[in-house]
Amino acid sequence: MPTINDVAKAAGVSPSTVSYVLSGRRPISAETRARVQAAIAELGFHPHAGARALASSKTNVIALVAPLRVDVNVPVIMQFATAVVTAARSYNHDVLLLTKDEGTAGLERVAHSTMVDALILMDLERDDLRIPALRKLKQPSVLIGLPADHTGIACVDLDFGAAARTALSHLAGHGHRRIGLVGPSPAVYRRQTTYADRFLAGFLEASADLGLRTVTHPCEPGAEGVRSCMADLDAELDGLTALVVHNEEALRPLLDLLRATGRRVPEDISIVAICPRDVAISMPVNLTSIDIPAHDVGTLAVETAMRLLEGRRVEYTRLLEPSLVERDSCREISTSHR
Amino acid sequence: MPTINDVAKAAGVSPSTVSYVLSGRRPISAETRARVQAAIAELGFHPHAGARALASSKTNVIALVAPLRVDVNVPVIMQFATAVVTAARSYNHDVLLLTKDEGTAGLERVAHSTMVDALILMDLERDDLRIPALRKLKQPSVLIGLPADHTGIACVDLDFGAAARTALSHLAGHGHRRIGLVGPSPAVYRRQTTYADRFLAGFLEASADLGLRTVTHPCEPGAEGVRSCMADLDAELDGLTALVVHNEEALRPLLDLLRATGRRVPEDISIVAICPRDVAISMPVNLTSIDIPAHDVGTLAVETAMRLLEGRRVEYTRLLEPSLVERDSCREISTSHR
DNA sequence: AGGCTCCGTCGAAGCGCTTCGACGATGGCT
DNA sequence: AGCCATCGTCGAAGCGCTTCGACGGAGCCT
C-alpha cells in the first residue's frame, strides 16, 4: 500500500502538499495539483483511515443503532437503514452498524474509542435509558423517534399525531362518524415505543375535535389477535363504518377476517392504514394509506447529523408532515348508514 | 479523553506496560496489572481506535456487504445481518455496513483505506464481478452464497441442492409421484443468484433418481404471478399431488389460491416450503419446511473470517445440511391418487 | 560463585496522516 | 523604488497507540 510519502516523492512535492491537494484546505497551483493527482491515480493511493482519524480526529463514520430483533416491522427498519447508508455515503461517510441490544455500552464503546463522528438511533422508547448516555458523549446524535425528554438532542420522525388526525379527517370527510382504531400490539405499547402513544393521542384529540364516535384497541399479532380486537371494537361501538389501522402485521389477517365475515371493503367498511407504501399496495385491496416515509426520515437524520458535525444550527425536532394517498379502501359512506 | 499516557502516569508505569496489560502479549505481574486496570477504570480510558489501527494494522472491524434493495427476502437478509453483527461482537469486532450497489468500488474503498480487517458479502451472483476484485485485496473475504468461480475464497451457505433432494425424498416417502416446483421469480433467475440454480439442479437430479414426474416453473410475485404459475404447472402435468415452494413471497397468495380453488392443504395437495422458520409458521397452514438457517450461516461466516484473520486453515466451501421440519402441510397420499 | 535463562518492565521508534508556522517569490500599492 | 499582502509550498511536530530490543534482577544450574 503506497503512503502519502510515496505519492509525494512520485510527484516531486512534500507530503503536506499532497494532503492539501486531497483536502483542498489550502490553495495549490493547477500544475502541482495535476501532478499530485496523477501520482495518486498511478500508485492507487488511498489514505489510511486510521492515520487520518488519528491526525484529524475525524473518522468519516457514523454509527447506526438499529433494533435487530427479527419480529415486526422488519421492512420498515430495512428502509431506514438503506436510507441512512445511502445518505451517509453521499456525504462521504460510512456506517457502523450496532444493535440496540448492546444498549448503552455499545454507544459508549464506539464513541469513546473514537470510531464514529456521530450516532443515529432508531426505535427509541419513551424513557429511553440511552438518552442520558448520549448526552455525555462528545459526538452528536440524532434520534429517529421522539422520547419524552429529548432536550438538546436532535429528533426526526413522522408526525404520528398529525397522521392520526389526517386519517380521521379523511374518513370524516367521507361521512364516517363511527370509527375504530386497530392499534399496534400491546407489546409495542408496553415498550413505550413513542410513535404508538403519539398516534393514539392524536387520534383521541382529533376524534373529539371532529365530534366522532371512536373506539380504540391494541391488536395482538396473528389471526386470533385480529379477531379478538375486532370483536372488542364491535362490542364497544356498534355500527362501525370505518377502521384506522396502525399495525402492519394486522392488515392481512384483518382483511381476511372482514372478507370471511362478509364485510366488504370499502362497500361496508372503509379502511385507512398507516404503513409503508409497498405494504399498502400489496394487499388484496389497495389500501388508502398514510405512508411511513422511512426513506425521507433516514435521509433527514443523516443530513441533520452532518449539519451538527459542521457546527451548524439545526432544528432539534423535525416531525415530517403525513401525506395520505387515496386508493381503494375508502368510500363515501352510504346514506343507509348515516 | 484520557490517553494511554495518562493511564501510565496514574498507575506509575510506562505506556508500553499499559499496552501489554491491555493486549496480554507479554507477562505482567499481578500487582502491576491490577494497578493499571484500576487506573483504566478510574479514568474511563478507551483506546483510540484510529491510533490502534495505525500502530497495529488491525481495525477490529469487518465489512458486511448487504443487498439493501427493499423488495424481496427482507426478513432473511435481516436475519443474516443480525447474526453477523452479533457474532462479530462476540469476537470483539464491529461491523461496517456497505450496500451492494456500491459494487466493486465500495469494497476497494474500505479495503484500501484499511477500514476493515475482512469482508463478508451476501447475495452473490453466478459470475459476480466483485470476485476478481476481492482476490486483489489484502483482506480476506467470506461469501454467503456460492458463485461459479470461487477458488481461493471462503464460501458459506445452505446446501440448496441437498435441500431440494430432501424435499423431494420427503414427499416421495409419503407416496407422492407427481410434484410441481414453484420457483423463485424470474428476476432471481435472471440475476443468477446462485441458490436458485443450485436448488433447481438438485430438484431435477433428485426427481430423476427417485423416478418422479415433476414440473418446474418460476413464479412472478403477487397473486397474479401465482395464478399463472399454478396454471402452467397444472397444464404441464396433471394430477399434481404435491408442491415444493422455493419462493417465500408466493406462499401466502398460493395458499389463498389453493383455498379459493377448493384444493385443501394437505388433504388434496401437500406442500414443502423452503423458507425461514417464522415464515413457515405464520401461514394459515403451518408449513412443513426446510429452514433457511440464516443465523447459522451468518455466524459461520464470521467464524470463518476470524479463522482466516488468525491465519488458520479453513474449509473453503461449507454447505450446511438442510433440515426438514414436519408440520401440517404434508400428508401420506390417499390411495385414490396413487 | 559464575554464568544462563527467564521474567517483568521500560524507552524509543515508528505507523501515515494533518496542520501550523515559516518562507521565498510575486504582484500591487503608494 | 520600496513595502506589504498574498500565493504556493515546505518542514516539522504531533495525534495515541503497538512493538521491538534492551536491561536489571531473580532463580537455576554446574
Side-chain angles (χ1 to χ4, degrees):
Chain A
M1 293 278 95
T3 73
I4 201 171
N5 277 298
D6 301 330
V7 174
K9 273 173 204 151
V13 299
S14 78
S16 51
T17 301
V18 177
S19 179
Y20 288 124
V21 166
L22 250 22
S23 70
R25 290 184 172 290
R26 286 201 179 172
I28 300 288
S29 70
E31 310 94 274
T32 307
R33 202 183 318 128
R35 231 167 343 117
V36 169
Q37 275 160 347
I40 289 176
E42 187 183 348
L43 298 179
F45 167 71
H46 290 255
H48 185 292
R52 217 170 203 186
L54 180 57
S56 69
S57 23
K58 281 184 198 171
T59 64
N60 274 35
V61 175
I62 63 181
L64 172 63
V65 187
L68 290 190
R69 55 189 141 65
V70 184
D71 53 1
V72 55
N73 273 10
V74 180
V76 185
I77 292 171
M78 200 79 168
Q79 282 181 44
F80 278 122
T82 306
V84 167
V85 174
T86 309
R89 284 301 309 138
S90 79
Y91 285 94
N92 198 29
H93 280 241
D94 275 288
V95 172
L96 198 74
L97 183 60
L98 304 186
T99 65
K100 190 187 173 192
D101 56 71
E102 267 202 273
T104 295
L107 308 176
E108 288 167 347
R109 182 167 50 78
V110 300
H112 288 152
S113 61
T114 325
M115 299 184 77
V116 302
D117 294 337
L119 303 93
I120 295 182
L121 322 218
M122 11 190 322
D123 199 46
L124 276 293
E125 295 167 23
R126 198 172 183 311
D127 299 298
D128 206 294
L129 289 171
R130 296 171 297 175
I131 308 276
L134 288 177
R135 290 219 173 81
K136 299 206 182 95
L137 304 181
K138 62 172 190 274
Q139 291 93 340
S141 36
V142 179
L143 311 182
I144 295 180
L146 198 66
D149 176 13
H150 56 268
T151 45
I153 299 189
C155 299
V156 176
D157 207 352
L158 171 65
D159 189 338
F160 279 93
R165 266 169 257 129
T166 303
L168 279 185
S169 313
H170 183 76
L171 290 169
H174 284 61
H176 296 274
R177 289 291 170 269
R178 292 167 169 257
I179 304 175
L181 169 64
V182 177
S185 84
V188 170
Y189 286 114
R190 231 177 288 126
R191 253 195 291 124
Q192 310 216 60
T193 311
T194 69
Y195 64 80
D197 295 341
R198 288 184 280 143
F199 191 88
L200 184 57
F203 186 92
L204 297 174
E205 210 177 288
S207 167
D209 291 352
L210 297 166
L212 304 175
R213 304 282 308 271
T214 58
V215 54
T216 71
H217 235 278
C219 179
E220 296 274 9
E224 192 37 56
V226 169
R227 197 184 327 276
S228 89
C229 175
M230 274 309 293
D232 289 338
L233 292 177
D234 282 327
E236 291 171 32
L237 180 62
D238 56 28
L240 282 181
T241 64
L243 294 174
V244 174
V245 185
H246 184 206
N247 184 329
E248 293 161 34
E249 276 187 301
L251 282 171
R252 166 123 20 208
L254 176 64
L255 291 173
D256 290 347
L257 173 67
L258 292 174
R259 185 174 50 178
T261 53
R263 294 161 100 168
R264 293 162 302 165
V265 176
E267 290 82 353
D268 302 318
I269 192 159
S270 287
I271 291 183
V272 175
I274 287 75
C275 66
R277 184 178 165 284
D278 46 301
V279 171
I281 62 178
S282 71
M283 293 290 149
V285 179
N286 280 341
L287 298 176
T288 292
S289 75
I290 295 175
D291 190 25
I292 297 185
H295 184 85
D296 296 350
V297 172
T299 305
L300 184 56
V302 171
E303 282 168 2
T304 306
M306 293 300 142
R307 272 214 170 64
L308 250 15
L309 286 177
E310 292 169 12
R312 295 210 267 154
R313 285 189 51 69
V314 303
E315 254 183 271
Y316 272 86
T317 305
R318 283 273 261 138
L319 295 182
L320 270 49
E321 289 212 357
S323 85
L324 182 148
V325 176
E326 297 197 46
R327 299 201 183 83
D328 310 333
S329 64
C330 280
R331 166 167 300 193
E332 197 77 26
I333 195 170
S334 64
T335 45
S336 68
H337 283 100
R338 295 226 186 194
Chain B
M1 294 277 95
T3 74
I4 201 172
N5 278 297
D6 301 329
V7 175
K9 275 174 203 151
V13 299
S14 79
S16 50
T17 301
V18 177
S19 179
Y20 288 124
V21 167
L22 250 21
S23 69
R25 289 185 171 287
R26 285 199 180 175
I28 299 289
S29 70
E31 310 94 274
T32 307
R33 202 183 319 127
R35 233 168 341 117
V36 169
Q37 275 159 347
I40 288 176
E42 187 184 348
L43 298 178
F45 167 71
H46 290 252
H48 185 291
R52 218 167 201 187
L54 180 57
S56 70
S57 20
K58 282 185 197 168
T59 63
N60 275 35
V61 175
I62 63 181
L64 172 64
V65 188
L68 290 190
R69 57 190 139 64
V70 185
D71 52 3
V72 54
N73 274 9
V74 180
V76 185
I77 292 171
M78 200 77 169
Q79 281 181 45
F80 279 122
T82 306
V84 167
V85 174
T86 309
R89 283 304 305 139
S90 79
Y91 285 94
N92 198 28
H93 280 241
D94 275 287
V95 171
L96 198 74
L97 182 62
L98 303 187
T99 65
K100 189 186 172 190
D101 55 73
E102 267 202 272
T104 295
L107 308 177
E108 287 167 348
R109 184 168 49 79
V110 300
H112 289 153
S113 62
T114 324
M115 298 183 79
V116 302
D117 294 337
L119 302 94
I120 295 182
L121 322 220
M122 12 192 319
D123 200 46
L124 277 292
E125 293 166 25
R126 197 172 183 314
D127 299 296
D128 206 294
L129 290 171
R130 297 170 297 174
I131 308 272
L134 288 177
R135 291 218 173 81
K136 300 206 182 97
L137 304 182
K138 61 172 191 274
Q139 291 93 340
S141 35
V142 178
L143 311 182
I144 296 181
L146 197 65
D149 175 15
H150 56 269
T151 45
I153 299 190
C155 299
V156 176
D157 206 352
L158 172 64
D159 188 339
F160 279 94
R165 266 170 255 131
T166 303
L168 280 184
S169 312
H170 183 77
L171 289 169
H174 284 62
H176 295 274
R177 289 290 170 270
R178 294 169 167 256
I179 304 175
L181 169 64
V182 177
S185 83
V188 170
Y189 286 112
R190 230 176 289 126
R191 255 196 289 125
Q192 309 216 60
T193 311
T194 69
Y195 62 82
D197 295 341
R198 289 184 280 141
F199 191 88
L200 184 57
F203 187 91
L204 296 175
E205 210 177 287
S207 168
D209 292 352
L210 297 166
L212 303 175
R213 302 285 305 274
T214 58
V215 54
T216 71
H217 235 278
C219 178
E220 295 274 8
E224 192 36 57
V226 170
R227 196 183 328 274
S228 88
C229 176
M230 274 309 292
D232 289 339
L233 292 177
D234 282 327
E236 292 171 30
L237 179 62
D238 57 26
L240 282 181
T241 65
L243 294 173
V244 174
V245 185
H246 185 206
N247 184 328
E248 293 161 34
E249 276 187 302
L251 282 171
R252 179 158 326 247
L254 176 63
L255 292 173
D256 290 348
L257 173 67
L258 292 174
R259 185 174 52 180
T261 52
R263 297 160 100 166
R264 292 163 304 165
V265 176
E267 290 82 352
D268 302 319
I269 192 157
S270 286
I271 291 183
V272 176
I274 285 77
C275 66
R277 183 178 167 284
D278 47 301
V279 171
I281 62 178
S282 71
M283 293 290 148
V285 179
N286 281 341
L287 298 176
T288 291
S289 75
I290 294 175
D291 191 25
I292 296 184
H295 183 84
D296 296 349
V297 173
T299 304
L300 184 57
V302 171
E303 282 168 3
T304 306
M306 293 300 144
R307 273 215 171 61
L308 251 13
L309 286 177
E310 292 169 13
R312 295 209 268 154
R313 284 189 50 72
V314 302
E315 254 183 275
Y316 273 86
T317 304
R318 284 273 262 135
L319 294 182
L320 270 49
E321 288 210 357
S323 86
L324 181 147
V325 176
E326 298 197 46
R327 299 203 183 83
D328 311 333
S329 63
C330 280
R331 163 167 303 192
E332 198 74 29
I333 196 170
S334 63
T335 45
S336 67
H337 283 100
R338 294 222 188 197

